[in-house]
Amino acid sequence: MAFVLSLLTALVLVSYGPGGSLGCDLSLNHVLAGRETRNLLKQMRRHSPHFCLQDRKDFAFPQEMVEGGQLQEAQAISVLHEMLQQSLNVFNTTRSSAAWDTTILEQLCTGLGEQLADLDGCLQQVTGEEDSALGRTGPTDAVTTYFKGIHVYLNEKEYSDCAWEIVRLDIRRAFSSSASLQERLRM
């Protein structure tokens, strides 16, 4: 009985720690999974970016919005959720499997899916059923527009190796920018 009581006490204390302070259980594992995502995106490199200079494109990632401290909690979670969902959409296609090492690509997509599952619960907790549109405006729309540009670009470039390399590099930068946002959500 004392063991069960100790365990329950520990669970209560953990739920009021840094991960639970935002009404969302965004664990350290989620932050670590974000680091793994960036690492996998780095490992996917197949060409030198210098080889693909002629294919460079500014997709206008809304970096100021993501890195800035002015996002409300619901907006921050919504932005991260949209980034994960859209990245999964980009890399979870038959065209991407032709461009990348399938083992690394599968690890990336699995990790993105797991992070999305973490954020699904958080997004529902923070925004609630009625207020779900609140977090999905402004910064989230900017992230959606960013990824629409990526899809258009890949299509225009006929999913060439260099187009994929430029997209991989840009999405990796976007995830690096969002790392501070993930850390802030955990605190």
Side-chain angles (χ1 to χ4, degrees):
M1 181 68 171
F3 174 75
V4 172
L5 190 55
S6 297
L7 183 61
L8 286 173
T9 303
L11 287 172
V12 169
L13 290 174
V14 167
S15 69
Y16 286 104
S21 64
L22 291 174
C24 168
D25 187 16
L26 191 59
S27 68
L28 179 59
N29 287 338
H30 183 84
V31 175
L32 294 175
R35 287 182 191 152
E36 180 63 15
T37 295
R38 292 188 305 278
N39 185 40
L40 289 169
L41 285 167
K42 182 178 180 181
Q43 289 177 34
M44 289 170 71
R45 178 180 165 175
R46 291 182 58 191
H47 300 286
S48 168
H50 299 293
F51 177 73
C52 299
L53 286 176
Q54 75 280 2
D55 291 308
R56 281 185 309 183
K57 169 123 175 125
D58 181 8
F59 297 107
F61 179 71
Q63 189 167 350
E64 301 80 34
M65 287 186 199
V66 172
E67 287 181 345
Q70 62 270 55
L71 289 181
Q72 295 176 1
E73 179 184 3
Q75 290 174 318
I77 291 171
S78 181
V79 162
L80 288 174
H81 189 276
E82 187 67 11
M83 284 181 64
L84 292 165
Q85 183 63 61
Q86 292 291 338
S87 296
L88 185 59
N89 291 347
V90 167
F91 290 109
N92 197 20
T93 66
T94 52
R95 293 203 183 222
S96 68
S97 63
W100 308 112
D101 175 281
T102 55
T103 303
I104 295 174
L105 184 61
E106 287 173 10
Q107 290 174 343
L108 176 69
C109 290
T110 299
L112 291 171
E114 289 170 359
Q115 291 175 74
L116 264 173
D118 283 348
L119 282 179
D120 279 339
C122 291
L123 193 58
Q124 290 174 0
Q125 280 180 7
V126 173
T127 61
E129 296 290 327
E130 310 83 38
D131 297 330
S132 62
L134 171 69
R136 303 212 43 88
T137 58
T140 305
D141 289 343
V143 170
T144 302
T145 300
Y146 164 76
F147 278 99
K148 282 181 183 173
I150 286 175
H151 286 286
V152 167
Y153 170 80
L154 284 169
N155 193 40
E156 286 174 353
K157 294 290 186 173
E158 298 177 352
Y159 299 86
S160 71
D161 287 346
C162 272
W164 276 115
E165 182 59 26
I166 297 299
V167 166
R168 178 202 65 83
L169 192 58
D170 211 83
I171 290 176
R172 183 169 176 252
R173 276 192 214 119
F175 273 107
S176 292
S177 292
S178 72
S180 61
L181 184 60
Q182 287 181 340
E183 289 286 345
R184 192 172 60 107
L185 283 172
R186 231 184 91 38
M187 296 302 166

